Amino acid sequence: MPEETKQPNHGDAEKAAKARQRYNYLLNEATKELNDWTGDDEAVEIHLFQMFSEIFKRHGKDEGDALFIVGTKSTTPALCTVSSAPVKPGSFHGYLRC
């Protein structure tokens, strides 16, 4: 008896593509709304993998101290020097794992 061969289910691929489109739409609309609060009117491109890429990185005590000492004149840069590059908030999490 010949074995039955499974044919790829194109419906699953279509569902996955539609889910991805819905996710992208919701993310773009959310960032556009948040950006609107700051006076701009465009969606902001977010790279979640890059943003959280250093979550599991270990940090030493000196680096941790440097991360958590904030709000002073020596640690708050002038607005014109602030980078517009994507942020990586996971660096705090990495320090807490030490």
Side-chain angles (χ1 to χ4, degrees), residues 6-25:
K6 282 197 163 193
Q7 297 294 324
N9 188 346
H10 296 292
D12 289 343
E14 288 176 19
K15 285 180 185 177
K18 286 182 181 180
R20 185 73 175 157
Q21 286 176 338
R22 206 168 31 247
Y23 166 80
N24 286 336
Y25 172 78

Side-chain angles (χ1 to χ4, degrees), residues 21-49:
Q21 286 176 338
R22 206 168 31 247
Y23 166 80
N24 286 336
Y25 172 78
L26 290 173
L27 185 60
N28 286 338
E29 287 300 306
T31 59
K32 185 177 179 181
E33 183 67 27
L34 290 171
N35 204 22
D36 187 45
W37 294 349
T38 65
D40 208 342
D41 62 352
E42 297 178 9
V44 176
E45 191 171 341
I46 294 180
H47 302 279
L48 294 176
F49 180 76

Side-chain angles (χ1 to χ4, degrees), residues 59-71:
H59 298 279
K61 181 170 176 13
D62 291 339
E63 189 177 9
D65 289 346
L67 287 171
F68 285 105
I69 298 173
V70 297

Side-chain angles (χ1 to χ4, degrees), residues 70-95:
V70 297
T72 66
K73 188 174 184 178
S74 63
T75 61
T76 306
L79 189 55
C80 64
T81 64
V82 176
S83 171
S84 61
V87 297
K88 294 188 177 186
S91 57
F92 288 108
H93 179 271
Y95 177 74

